[in-house]
Amino acid sequence: MATSVTTPPSLSFFSSSVFFTSSQRQNLKPLVAFKPNSLKTPTARPLAISSELTTLPILSFTGEKIGETYLDVKAAPPETARAVVHRGIITDLQNKRRGTASTLTRAEVRGGGRKPYPQKKTGRARQGSTRTPLRPGGGVVFGPKPRDWSIKINKKEKRLAISTAVASAAVNTIVVEDFGDKFEKPKTKDFIEALKRWGIDPKQKSMFLVMELSENVVLSSRNIGTLKMLTPRTLNLFDILNADKLVLTQDAVDYLNGRYGVDFEAEDEEGDEEEAGGGEVELVEEVAADENPAPAE
């Protein structure tokens, strides 16, 4: 008994629907379900700036837990956080460059006006000056010249970079009570003992953010090479990223929540709108005064 073997249909020029009858065209099924991009439902990507709320313990000067507080600062979305912080740190580091490096070209080096030896009959390579860049004491080719290395960054972008770094370091952040009046005299040993009571290794890099610095605190902590004592005026992105531990006071936490929180930008925009509205009123009054001048007496 002969068996018939069915071969799978292959795609060729003759498989086009032109060569099928009307009944065969109705039974055809599309090989690929095609859907244009205009009909696809777009997926929303969360790129909005979020607020990171973190609970932090408050430690006394003796190292005991006396309460809790919260740190609520803005943070860039995960898709752009790395780029924002990178741009902020590159801006800070590059703006610190003084740009005073300078070298002398062969035209600026003193001497070299006389030809060192005759052009011919010496067997040596011809030389026109002893200040050529090929000789010691000569000029420098393509050497550095004084230049301005500073680059610009938007205020909101820099503020977002700092707040994102603070939010990412919240897991290594503690809050201590104000210790400005705890040191009766400058003594580094007392400050190191306080670090140990707070659970901070003196060999690890730590950054302190306080609102005011007393003289005894500055003198007691300046000999610790792994410690940075900052105020809101000196707060910068590099020290935040470089530190292993962040130590804040309660006033510093309130400052961060107010300066780098979500409500700061809203208050700033409201103030700008009020100023813009007041300017429009003044402009309307000036135009009205010009159209209706006061009668002369």
Side-chain angles (χ1 to χ4, degrees):
M1 181 177 180
T3 59
S4 61
V5 179
T6 58
T7 59
S10 60
L11 294 177
S12 63
F13 174 76
F14 295 100
S15 64
S16 176
S17 60
V18 177
F19 299 97
F20 291 116
T21 62
S22 59
S23 60
Q24 290 176 339
R25 289 196 192 99
Q26 296 177 357
N27 297 328
L28 289 177
K29 295 182 180 179
L31 298 177
V32 179
F34 175 74
K35 190 175 183 181
N37 293 330
S38 59
L39 300 179
K40 294 181 180 179
T41 304
T43 57
R45 300 181 62 185
L47 293 179
I49 298 174
S50 60
S51 177
E52 296 290 339
L53 181 62
T54 308
T55 303
L56 303 176
I58 302 178
L59 304 181
S60 64
F61 187 70
T62 58
E64 300 176 356
K65 183 178 179 181
I66 58 177
E68 291 183 349
T69 186
Y70 70 93
L71 182 65
D72 188 11
V73 295
K74 292 187 293 185
E79 293 81 0
T80 60
R82 187 181 183 90
V84 170
V85 175
H86 178 266
R87 176 170 166 78
I89 192 66
I90 291 299
T91 303
D92 288 347
L93 295 179
Q94 191 161 334
N95 289 345
K96 287 182 179 180
R97 300 189 64 171
R98 299 180 62 184
T100 57
S102 181
T103 55
L104 300 179
T105 63
R106 64 178 298 167
E108 298 169 341
V109 178
R110 178 181 174 87
R114 181 177 64 87
K115 190 175 179 65
Y117 47 83
Q119 178 83 353
K120 297 179 179 296
K121 299 181 181 180
T122 60
R124 303 181 61 183
R126 52 192 175 187
Q127 295 287 338
S129 174
T130 57
R131 296 298 179 258
T132 172
L134 304 179
R135 287 192 169 203
V140 180
V141 181
F142 304 125
K145 285 292 184 181
R147 57 169 293 184
D148 183 14
W149 287 93
S150 62
I151 55 179
K152 179 184 175 297
I153 185 173
N154 297 331
K155 292 182 180 179
K156 292 182 180 179
E157 188 177 4
K158 183 176 181 180
R159 193 185 307 137
L160 181 61
I162 294 178
S163 61
T164 303
V166 172
S168 64
V171 293
N172 297 323
T173 304
I174 61 173
V175 181
V176 299
E177 64 176 354
D178 190 12
F179 53 88
D181 55 347
K182 301 295 183 179
F183 296 91
E184 299 179 354
K185 60 180 180 179
K187 198 169 185 180
T188 306
K189 183 178 179 180
D190 294 344
F191 202 95
I192 292 178
E193 292 178 355
L195 292 178
K196 294 180 179 179
R197 289 196 298 268
W198 293 329
I200 302 175
D201 187 1
K203 296 182 180 180
Q204 288 184 340
K205 298 178 182 178
S206 57
M207 191 208 76
F208 281 70
L209 179 61
V210 297
M211 300 303 294
E212 294 181 0
L213 283 174
S214 62
E215 184 179 359
N216 290 339
V217 171
V218 174
L219 297 177
S220 300
S221 61
R222 66 179 182 179
N223 284 339
I224 304 176
T226 57
L227 186 142
K228 284 284 186 179
M229 192 71 64
L230 304 180
T231 60
R233 184 178 179 85
T234 59
L235 181 63
N236 60 88
L237 187 59
F238 179 80
D239 289 332
I240 297 175
L241 299 176
N242 192 40
D244 298 324
K245 280 283 187 179
L246 264 64
V247 183
L248 312 174
T249 61
Q250 182 61 49
D251 294 338
V253 173
D254 296 338
Y255 167 78
L256 292 176
N257 291 335
R259 175 69 177 176
Y260 301 100
V262 180
D263 299 333
F264 178 79
E265 185 176 355
E267 294 177 357
D268 194 7
E269 290 178 355
E270 289 177 1
D272 295 342
E273 292 177 358
E274 292 177 359
E275 293 178 359
E280 293 177 358
V281 172
E282 294 177 358
L283 182 60
V284 171
E285 292 178 354
E286 291 179 359
V287 172
D290 294 340
E291 294 178 353
N292 302 319
E297 296 181 356

